[in-house]
Amino acid sequence: MQSAPTNEFLTRKHVAYFQRCLSLLPHSYQCLDSTRLTLGMFCFSGLDLLGTLTTVLSQDERRGYIDWIYAQQVTAAVTDVPGSHGFCGGPFSGPMTSEDKARNHYTVANLAATYSALVSLVVLGDDLARVDRHEIVTSLRHLQQPNGGFTPHPYSIECDLRFVYCACAICHLLDDWSGVDKAKAVGFIRACQQYDGGFATAPGNESHGGVLVSAVASLKLMGHLDDDTAFDRSAAVAWGLRQQDRGFHGRVNKEDDTCYSYWIGAGLKVMGAYDLVNLERQRAFLLATQRHIGGFGKAPSDYPDTLHSYMGLTAFSMMGEPGLKELIPELNISMDAYQAFRARQSSALCRSSPI
Amino acid sequence: MVKLEDSYVPLSQLPEWSDVTPIPQDDGPHPVAPIAYTQEYAEAMDYLRAVMKARELSSRALELTEEIVWLNAGHYTAWAYRLDILKHLNVDLYSELDFLSEFAEVNPKTYQLWHHRQEIVKLLNDPSREHDFIAKLLATDSKNFHAWSYRQWVVTQFNQWDGELPYVAQLIDEDVRNNSAWNQRYFVLTRGSTQDLDRDTLRREIDYCLEKMALAPNNECPFAYCRGLLKKFGTHDDWLLIRAQLRALGGVANAGDVAAARSQYAWGLLLDTEEHLIREATEEEGLTARRAEVRRVRTNFRV
Ligand SMILES: [Zn+2]
């Protein structure tokens, strides 16, 4: 896809791009049908970072989206399968009738979808009052494996760092850590740090930029970021910095890719090392992957897609682009949306507790 | 094989599906990020919902899951459902391996594919086809992350450590910049971080690194690998050895001699070596000056 790189960050085009994605995606996204909640999170958070969420979406629309998200919640009324509570990635499993739970055997939540749902709800201005906290927390307990890692749902053997992060972010947003054995989770993260200082998705695998932020954000959320026994911080910082060419690449000797400006950039930010990133080079790379129709591609000649568009945007936010909201890197939520969420919660608490 | 492309016949027109009432997707009035589904996918999903809700473990359902995963490889519950059907019908699981081999050629980066294959191989308790299967995919993409991670599972699960080092060495010979192969080298030698290296092996690995560093000084792999080995298993003498060798290799007399350095990686490792030796040293002469020098270089060059 050809479009001459510009020196400008195209705010208005990006707003239009996320609006389009939110209203209809082309059939090439069919392979992501099970992860629509995550695609939605990219759109909501994208519009939020751009400061336009409440101007381009009416209050009714935002309420409508909130209701759609809650419609994907897998509650105890739907199924008794242990570990299956939380949010499903979309309505693809069919109606969640509660008359006959046996019919919902394959209706299971997924940790990535639950994380995406909670983030989207926070960003959309919900207070999580309709979230079945207890069931989600109980599910987490079921999904944590003996090695400390997490699988995304009860029928999966895919145990890796991405889901440790989802679990930690969920616990943080729900203010309830009773579903996570922190010591074991920290042990799993430690085992994922490879000989070169980077983190692998699972112990033994090659270091992968995609999980740098998962590892260090989880540690931060669990209060172990300053724990020298949890990981080798300077090795992790050095590994992250070595993956910058112009932008960042996800593995040693691979090509730069827009999304790693988030995965690795946010990881460095969590570790307090973002000032060591060469921002000029990164900016030039991202301006080259920015598309004139809005959004970002993976590489300079690629079409934009929802994930890379959102990740490109977060990088500009972390670089301090004027007009973009500040991002909390360990949660992947804007500071503004997060503080508003906490304020809504405490005022709800005041209303409900007699003084 | 059911891969509907040109010859699409709606399921609603097939007699074998006439007894099933399809279940449409309910997206409500405010769908989030709706997708313009193809007609095939939308219809196949309507029927899939119907059989999954009924927990029908039949061969027509098995075929339908195949169709679905071709259209949406990431449909995770369709894969879980497929596994349940396979177990229930007691079908020949080797034919499932054939299907997965074919599927992997088109969708080599689908997480579910690899975990599904792992489940099947566990059921068969037979890894005999796995090395060829993986090697074929690595021949197309020698850095396929999923293939390597699956390979580690096979090697560990079935205790197939023998032969792994020569294979990895061959891949590094083919492409010295293949970091996946370097990672596998570490994995094999430490048996997945469960085993220490003996002195001879460590020295042999350091020599191996030095040879590969000289071959391509701007390749990060051997430097990172060497640093990792030294940090975990190196003695004072090993660090002294690498310092001398790096100075020779990089053409630099000391860590501050940036202008002369031919390789940022050699220089970075040399700095780490200096730091390590400073930490270990007790009363060596000029220690304060050396420490200050390393700090100055790090501050100026952000490494
Ligand atoms: Zn990417």
Side-chain angles (χ1 to χ4, degrees):
Chain A
M1 181 177 187
Q2 290 306 312
S3 63
T6 121
N7 287 326
E8 257 177 278
F9 178 76
L10 302 171
T11 305
R12 292 204 344 253
K13 303 279 188 183
H14 296 313
V15 173
Y17 177 79
F18 287 114
Q19 278 184 282
R20 281 199 302 278
C21 290
L22 196 53
S23 50
L24 190 64
L25 292 164
H27 75 82
S28 53
Y29 280 81
Q30 214 160 254
C31 58
L32 297 172
D33 190 28
S34 325
T35 63
R36 277 176 56 197
L37 256 173
T38 304
L39 297 172
M41 173 184 74
F42 294 145
C43 297
F44 297 131
S45 280
L47 291 171
D48 175 45
L49 284 179
L50 289 157
T52 55
L53 186 76
T54 53
T55 51
V56 300
L57 299 180
S58 69
Q59 193 169 25
D60 279 354
E61 283 174 307
R62 278 177 277 141
R63 278 201 193 115
Y65 288 135
I66 288 172
D67 287 343
W68 185 92
I69 294 167
Y70 275 118
Q72 315 315 322
Q73 190 170 204
V74 182
T75 64
V78 172
T79 175
D80 299 324
V81 175
S84 65
H85 301 122
F87 288 77
C88 193
F92 61 91
S93 302
M96 298 186 205
T97 47
S98 49
E99 296 85 63
D100 182 4
K101 288 187 185 178
R103 286 182 62 78
N104 299 323
H105 181 75
Y106 293 107
T107 303
V108 291
N110 178 315
L111 284 185
T114 304
Y115 163 73
S116 303
L118 297 184
V119 169
S120 298
L121 289 169
V122 164
V123 167
L124 283 166
D126 185 69
D127 60 1
L128 307 188
R130 284 188 269 165
V131 172
D132 282 313
R133 292 152 184 274
H134 176 72
E135 285 150 14
I136 291 178
V137 167
T138 310
S139 274
L140 287 177
R141 205 171 294 138
H142 188 83
L143 295 173
Q144 188 168 23
Q145 303 302 305
N147 67 0
F150 282 79
T151 57
H153 62 85
Y155 305 140
S156 176
I157 55 166
E158 193 178 338
C159 174
D160 76 41
L161 253 184
R162 292 169 303 156
F163 304 116
V164 172
Y165 170 69
C166 291
C168 290
I170 290 166
C171 292
H172 177 85
L173 291 173
L174 296 180
D175 293 308
D176 185 346
W177 286 86
S178 62
V180 169
D181 183 331
K182 283 192 190 177
K184 274 191 170 177
V186 170
F188 181 79
I189 295 170
R190 184 189 300 118
C192 287
Q193 189 169 29
Q194 287 297 99
Y195 65 82
D196 59 1
F199 283 90
T201 52
N205 290 350
E206 183 184 0
S207 292
H208 199 307
V211 291
L212 183 66
V213 70
S214 307
V216 298
S218 301
L219 290 172
K220 174 143 192 201
L221 293 171
M222 288 191 286
H224 281 271
L225 190 64
D226 298 319
D227 172 1
D228 286 344
T229 64
F231 79 123
D232 183 340
R233 185 179 185 139
S234 61
V237 168
W239 184 88
L241 291 172
R242 285 202 304 271
Q243 306 320 309
Q244 180 172 22
D245 182 5
R246 293 174 66 215
F248 282 88
H249 42 275
R251 285 185 281 154
V252 172
N253 290 335
K254 300 275 283 186
E255 297 295 310
D256 286 354
D257 170 342
T258 300
C259 66
Y260 295 107
S261 286
Y262 170 74
W263 304 119
I264 296 179
L268 290 169
K269 193 128 195 162
V270 169
M271 291 187 283
Y274 203 70
D275 59 321
L276 300 174
V277 174
N278 185 326
L279 297 184
E280 294 92 300
R281 287 178 72 84
Q282 169 167 260
R283 192 181 161 83
F285 175 75
L286 293 173
L287 285 173
T289 67
Q290 177 181 247
R291 308 276 50 119
H292 69 283
I293 55 164
F296 292 80
K298 177 187 163 89
S301 55
D302 289 344
Y303 280 98
D305 65 77
T306 317
L307 179 142
H308 289 95
S309 298
Y310 176 69
M311 299 301 179
L313 197 60
T314 61
F316 276 94
S317 159
M318 289 189 285
M319 290 191 289
E321 179 73 19
L324 285 183
K325 288 188 184 176
E326 185 192 342
L327 184 80
I328 304 177
E330 64 272 26
L331 288 173
N332 198 9
I333 300 176
S334 75
M335 181 66 81
D336 182 50
Y338 181 74
Q339 286 175 344
F341 162 65
R342 289 303 189 199
R344 281 193 301 280
Q345 278 193 324
S346 54
S347 66
L349 204 66
C350 289
R351 281 197 303 275
S352 65
S353 59
I355 298 162
Chain B
M1 179 190 87
V2 197
K3 194 185 169 192
L4 299 184
E5 274 167 351
D6 309 317
S7 57
Y8 171 60
V9 178
L11 293 174
S12 59
Q13 288 174 22
L14 298 175
E16 62 262 42
W17 287 99
S18 61
D19 61 314
V20 174
T21 308
I23 301 177
Q25 177 163 289
D26 180 6
D27 235 318
H30 288 281
V32 169
I35 298 166
Y37 301 130
T38 61
Q39 194 194 344
E40 289 103 307
Y41 180 70
E43 198 201 23
M45 285 291 285
D46 291 350
Y47 279 83
L48 182 75
R49 277 185 279 275
V51 287
M52 283 178 83
K53 287 280 179 192
R55 288 178 79 176
E56 177 184 308
L57 303 176
S58 66
S59 50
R60 71 175 177 187
L62 186 67
E63 278 178 34
L64 185 58
T65 58
E66 186 173 332
E67 189 184 326
I68 289 287
V69 297
W70 276 114
L71 295 167
N72 170 11
H75 192 315
Y76 58 94
T77 47
W79 283 103
Y81 177 46
R82 182 175 179 83
L83 184 64
D84 288 347
I85 301 172
L86 287 165
K87 286 181 191 165
H88 179 79
L89 293 181
N90 218 0
V91 297
D92 175 16
L93 292 177
Y94 288 102
S95 64
E96 184 68 359
L97 290 187
D98 292 339
F99 158 63
L100 292 171
S101 300
E102 191 187 341
F103 192 84
E105 281 183 35
V106 184
N107 299 289
K109 295 188 173 170
T110 299
Y111 279 95
Q112 286 77 15
L113 151 78
W114 295 95
H115 295 106
H116 186 75
R117 188 160 182 121
Q118 186 175 325
E119 299 269 26
I120 302 297
V121 170
K122 263 197 286 188
L123 288 171
L124 284 167
N125 194 27
D126 173 12
S128 62
R129 298 185 180 192
E130 299 318 286
H131 279 265
D132 285 352
F133 163 71
I134 300 164
K136 198 172 168 197
L137 286 165
L138 289 179
T140 318
D141 174 7
S142 63
K143 298 177 181 177
N144 182 331
F145 177 75
H146 303 273
W148 280 108
S149 137
Y150 181 65
R151 190 177 182 94
Q152 292 189 349
W153 176 76
V154 172
V155 165
T156 312
Q157 179 81 6
F158 298 99
N159 196 19
Q160 299 192 329
W161 298 97
D162 295 346
E164 195 61 7
L165 197 59
Y167 176 71
V168 166
Q170 180 203 324
L171 287 187
I172 294 177
D173 283 344
E174 283 167 18
D175 175 11
V176 74
R177 294 166 59 85
N178 182 348
N179 194 56
S180 308
W182 281 93
N183 184 73
Q184 188 74 348
R185 191 175 181 93
Y186 190 90
F187 183 77
V188 177
L189 284 170
T190 60
R191 292 286 190 270
S193 280
T194 61
Q195 191 169 290
D196 283 352
L197 292 198
D198 60 57
R199 301 294 315 145
D200 289 351
T201 310
L202 181 63
R203 280 298 171 110
R204 190 194 72 203
E205 288 306 295
I206 291 175
D207 287 345
Y208 183 80
C209 288
L210 288 166
E211 180 198 321
K212 302 301 177 195
M213 289 171 186
L215 198 64
N218 285 302
N219 172 23
E220 187 177 337
C221 307
F223 296 96
Y225 180 81
C226 188
R227 179 192 287 105
L229 287 178
L230 286 171
K231 276 172 84 169
K232 184 130 191 215
F233 308 110
T235 62
H236 187 70
D237 284 351
D238 297 326
W239 284 97
L240 286 175
L241 169 79
I242 202 73
R243 177 169 71 176
Q245 294 287 345
L246 281 170
R247 284 178 176 179
L249 176 79
V252 287
N254 64 66
D257 199 359
V258 184
R262 281 202 302 141
S263 155
Q264 57 163 319
Y265 301 116
W267 181 55
L269 180 54
L270 185 55
L271 276 177
D272 287 342
T273 306
E274 294 289 0
E275 264 190 348
H276 179 87
L277 291 170
I278 289 169
R279 268 198 305 274
E280 278 196 341
T282 44
E283 295 178 29
E284 200 182 330
E285 196 150 316
L287 195 59
T288 317
R290 271 171 59 200
R291 192 179 282 137
E293 176 68 357
V294 169
R295 198 177 301 127
R296 184 186 70 78
V297 174
R298 284 212 188 277
T299 314
N300 287 350
F301 295 93
R302 304 181 158 190
V303 287

